[in-house]
Amino acid sequence: MRAEQGHQFPPIPLHNPFRSNAPLQRLLLRLLGESPHLETIFNNLDLLADRCIGEHALSANKLKGVEDEPRLIQYDAWGRRIDELRTGEGWRELKAATAKEGIVAESYPLQKGDHSTSPSSQQQRPKGYLGRDQLGADARIYAFVKIFMFGPFSKLVLCPISMTDGAARVLELAGTPDQKRIISLLTHADPTKAWTAGQWMTERPGGSDISRTETTARPVAQRSDGNYRSGDSFLLDGFKWFSSATDGDIALALARTDADFSKGSRGLSLFLLKVRDPQTGKLNGIRVHRLKQKLGTKYLPTAELELDSCQAELVGTLGQGVKIISSVLNVTRLYSAAGGVFTLTHGLRQSASFSLTRQVGQKQLSEYPLHTQSLFRLTVLQRALQQLFFFNSGLLGKSEAQTANKRDLTLLRLYTPALKAYTAIRASESTLSLLDSFGGQGYMEDSGLGIAESLRDLAVERVWEGTIEVLGMDVVRVVMQSKGEALFVLVSDLRERLSHLMQGDNEGESDVVTLLQGGVDELERSSKILLKTFTDRNLAGSLDYRFAAPLLELMMILNGGALLLEQAGWTRKQLKSQQKASPLVPLTEDIALEEAHIARTWVMEEGELAQTLTKFKTTVEERARGGAVKDTSLDLQHRIVFTEVLDQARQAKL
Ligand SMILES: Cc1cc2nc3c(=O)[nH]c(=O)nc-3n(C[C@H](O)[C@H](O)[C@H](O)COP(=O)(O)OP(=O)(O)OC[C@H]3O[C@@H](n4cnc5c(N)ncnc54)[C@H](O)[C@@H]3O)c2cc1C
């Protein structure tokens, strides 16, 4: 039989990421319903979504394989060191698209002037731009919906863009007036003028523990009082182990300004540097040592860099580098979480399309409950993550528009690392289920589904911007620094919202609310035991932080449940109020039922509330019983994991 004969697969269409996501539209209606810009926002997103499945998908399709991956040409034919980086055409187009679409700009006020030309000119506006001037606290939500639309076609170009966004935020918060002017380039709509930024933190001694950074910074001109100021010139020497924006224009780099390693991260300062001399195009005291050979993120140029008298200027106060760059993390961690959610959303649409056309026996695959059940479970997860993500985006937006109260800021600080870690775990695991929902085609590189690529790409979300363990520790740090106060703010916020739900439009769901309330009570009870272990003389130094992972998961499960119920309650309320139905998104009784069912499934099954509560309780009790040194179960675990390797190492030494 010829290949053209016999069964032929129908093509799987690309779905408009806005129109095919009615739950996202309803969520936006709930969050932005009062905004005078709502209709414009919906129209703009619709147009952007069309461009995504049109021109941006075409650019993404140009990145097809090894030949489109970045290449490093270190020497020219005359033996001169040039370190020329060549990226794929599709990559360059997608980078340009982020400027035109205002992916970064959307979260900032319209900048006056253009750093490189006339300081008085108003900057050109990106497509569909509203910005912080007009949207205030809602700007981040709008910006992240744009990212949701663009993301599935972005081929990881959003990685350097996230760092660009983070850099703009750092400069906005801590830059000198001159440094702040760079924001106009980081948010520029003209790709020929727009700059992107890298973030150079990780070094060989440790990415999680940057306090052992080896790169040093020496002042170009000594200040007799030793009191260096933001904007002062320094020269950096060192080796940066990971740089994912090697094709960027500027970078924020951490470097040691105090030779005393015992001072830890207090010996580190933050520096702003230009990667190349804008006039000559020559690298600024930088040699690109090597491009990384990675499992995924293949079109993203990640390099190892040697810094040799690289000219840089201090940002903020000496010794405060880690604190200052943390504002990048709030932004980049949300981009990372977005990556997990939009990949899952896109994959689910494709999988549903496939199931509707794939014939198994006498029926379509979609007719088999066993198959539908797997996709349903992934859909419940997607809905919960989508809610959690935009809840967090709203908090970030409030903090940037300076409308956040103390409670909002505490929740932002606690929820951001938790969301990033939880999404990284759940979304990367879900990609495997998505893969097998397509059968063999899911495993193919060239099917156009991109599932195999997503599997590799999503794995990195578990590592960069903090591994799962490190993010768990970050949550614990906030709790400890606030002497438990942060956790009680979270508990009281959840309690208040749940009691509201009990009184609101959630009849029929009171058992679900009660279950969540029980979870919050248990979270509070165990947290009180936990807090005592932080102050107990014998336990305070314990390294037993095994409770961190279940704590982080619990926060997400409880908040996810509350948010899904709030969404369902909101829909019911709209239906009851008998106001004129929104012309933007239809609301029906069926939708209200579906939303309630999703919330119920999340709390009762998919979120694994009961198991996570038990894990949290048990790990807290184990810590309270004796900590790392005395706890026999820890000794046992250590023995089981390490004995053989230790024995072998000992024998090799003999
Ligand atoms: C593709 C890619 C691109 C990257 N791009 C950049 C970039 O542009 N800029 C940049 O600065 N970095 C970048 N990174 C680096 C990334 O942020 C680090 O790899 C990450 O922070 C982990 O650091 P590490 O590799 O040194 O691992 P380690 O810190 O050595 O971690 C090893 C293991 O130890 C665990 N661990 C560490 N501390 C603890 C603890 N206290 N308790 C329990 N467990 C712990 C970790 O969870 C991990 O499992 C990139 C990484 C990748 C993979």
Side-chain angles (χ1 to χ4, degrees), residues 159 163 198-210 240-245 292 294 296-297 300 302 460 462-470 473 545:
C159 163
M163 294 191 280
Q199 154 193 318
W200 299 350
M201 289 159 67
T202 308
E203 299 197 4
R204 287 172 292 188
S208 309
D209 177 13
I210 41 179
K240 290 291 176 186
W241 187 222
F242 280 93
S243 150
S244 279
K292 296 275 195 194
K294 298 170 288 179
T297 67
L300 169 73
T302 307
V460 82
R462 303 171 70 113
V463 177
W464 65 19
E465 307 304 334
T467 61
I468 313 286
E469 280 102 343
V470 165
M473 295 295 298
Y545 292 111

Side-chain angles (χ1 to χ4, degrees), residues 607-624:
E608 301 189 345
L609 174 60
Q611 298 93 313
T612 313
L613 272 174
T614 310
K615 269 196 268 170
F616 182 54
K617 205 169 145 219
T618 318
T619 46
V620 165
E621 282 168 3
E622 281 181 13
R623 182 180 160 95

